[in-house]
Amino acid sequence: MKPVLECVPAAMARHYRLIMGGEDGEFWEHGEIKGAGAGCGLRATYGRPKSELAPVITKLCTNPEMVTVWRHLRRAFAKLELIDWETGFFQYVLMALYDRSPWDYATPGEREDSHADITKKLNELVALLRKFELDHPVWNLMRPLEFEAAIKRHFYTGFTPAYSEPGGIEGRREPSLFLCGNRPYVSEVLERLRQRIAEERVHERALVQKNSSPHGPEYLIVTRRLGVYFTRFLGSPQYGTVRKLVWVLLGVDVSMATVRDTVGKSPCDKEGIFYMPESTPCD
């Protein structure tokens, strides 16, 4: 089926053509190039396989219910002078549909137990590494390509310029595994991880605190994520638009009151996806 809705934004139509005519392709994995065509294809462009992309873009570009949705979104984003919003919107829809973790499907009690178990095992592992002298500096376990990629990602790394200068450290232009100063050991990094896990308490951030909806956790997650997205960019949850998107994407037909109740009971944006943590206080 071809995209026939005249209200489909141009960017979405381009996504449709690219996805429906494209293939997964190859992509970078673990710091190494996999295959001659690495960096090409849908995985490289969207970070997802065609099996996930095609159903979503087809629904967005061919379902008649989307006519009013696109018209409304165009007006709403134009009113706020937000341009080039279509690609970001598509990525958020994909995230709402597919990004999941084990926390999303566990009960509050199971989350607490898992959090405590992970913390305990990290402590035990740190003690064992040190007791049996199996600890190593972290840098010694990194592959050269992984280290190079890390330097490129972190623009404020202090030693980056030294590597890019001719005749720099060890007389090389490219990064090496040489580092001056203290080298953190695996056990130290694991201790930092345990502390961060204890402070961030990610297990409490799930949008499904308790699956009380007859429509299931997928409905709750998608509805709340869309509501948070529209609140972030358009200033309100856009309940009517969320209702239509839930019908188009999930085939779940609910009333406006149900959508309003679902979004209203969302535990704020504890996932920290659309807001900086300090800008959106949560109970």
Side-chain angles (χ1 to χ4, degrees):
M1 182 182 295
K2 296 181 179 179
V4 296
L5 300 180
E6 62 181 18
C7 289
V8 172
M12 299 301 295
R14 287 194 295 271
H15 288 310
Y16 181 92
R17 291 191 294 270
L18 178 61
I19 292 169
M20 301 309 292
E23 299 296 336
D24 284 352
E26 301 290 342
F27 60 104
W28 286 75
E29 184 177 6
H30 305 306
E32 296 181 354
I33 299 177
K34 300 293 183 180
C40 301
L42 299 178
R43 284 185 179 273
T45 303
Y46 297 97
R48 300 178 187 276
K50 187 171 183 174
S51 59
E52 292 184 357
L53 297 167
V56 180
I57 197 65
T58 300
K59 292 173 182 177
L60 293 177
C61 290
T62 64
N63 192 310
E65 292 289 332
M66 290 299 298
V67 171
T68 55
V69 171
W70 291 129
R71 286 175 179 165
H72 171 72
L73 291 181
R74 272 177 162 161
R75 288 195 299 266
F77 280 102
K79 185 177 181 180
L80 296 176
E81 298 183 348
L82 297 174
I83 60 174
D84 300 329
W85 56 270
E86 300 96 331
T87 297
F89 172 73
F90 181 47
Q91 291 291 352
Y92 284 127
V93 168
L94 291 171
M95 181 276 296
L97 288 169
Y98 294 126
D99 283 9
R100 299 289 184 272
S101 78
W103 303 119
D104 293 322
Y105 303 104
T107 65
E110 290 170 342
R111 293 180 191 133
E112 287 289 344
D113 291 344
S114 296
H115 182 267
D117 187 45
I118 291 168
T119 301
K120 178 182 177 182
K121 288 180 177 177
L122 280 172
N123 285 331
E124 293 173 348
L125 180 56
V126 166
L128 286 171
L129 288 173
R130 291 173 175 171
K131 177 180 179 179
F132 292 99
E133 300 179 347
L134 296 174
D135 211 358
H136 290 276
V138 174
W139 310 127
N140 292 357
L141 301 177
M142 293 180 67
R143 301 172 182 174
L145 283 175
E146 292 172 339
F147 188 71
E148 180 179 3
I151 292 175
K152 290 180 178 178
R153 283 196 300 269
H154 297 280
F155 299 105
Y156 300 104
T157 304
F159 47 77
T160 302
Y163 284 115
S164 61
E165 294 288 336
I169 293 177
E170 299 183 7
R172 286 187 284 216
R173 288 176 176 268
E174 65 276 1
S176 72
L177 291 182
F178 170 81
L179 279 179
C180 58
N182 295 326
R183 298 174 297 172
Y185 278 68
V186 172
S187 61
E188 181 183 346
V189 173
L190 289 176
E191 283 189 331
R192 295 176 191 173
L193 175 62
R194 181 200 59 76
Q195 180 64 29
R196 177 165 294 186
I197 288 173
E199 292 174 353
E200 292 183 346
R201 300 187 68 79
V202 176
H203 65 293
E204 295 179 349
R205 298 182 183 177
L207 287 178
V208 184
Q209 296 295 305
K210 182 179 179 182
N211 183 18
S212 57
S213 171
H215 306 294
E218 296 299 322
Y219 160 77
L220 289 173
I221 293 171
V222 172
T223 301
R224 287 172 174 172
R225 281 180 171 167
L226 290 174
V228 170
Y229 168 80
F230 287 128
T231 300
R232 166 66 178 84
F233 289 99
L234 297 179
S236 69
Q238 307 289 312
Y239 298 117
T241 299
V242 171
R243 176 176 177 268
K244 286 197 174 184
L245 285 169
V246 168
W247 166 244
V248 169
L249 297 169
L250 300 179
V252 176
D253 188 11
V254 293
S255 67
M256 189 80 77
T258 299
V259 172
R260 190 184 301 272
D261 184 64
T262 301
V263 175
K265 291 182 178 178
S266 174
C268 198
D269 183 24
K270 290 190 175 182
E271 291 184 313
I273 294 172
F274 305 114
Y275 293 89
M276 295 299 290
E278 65 270 14
S279 68
T280 307
C282 295
D283 296 333

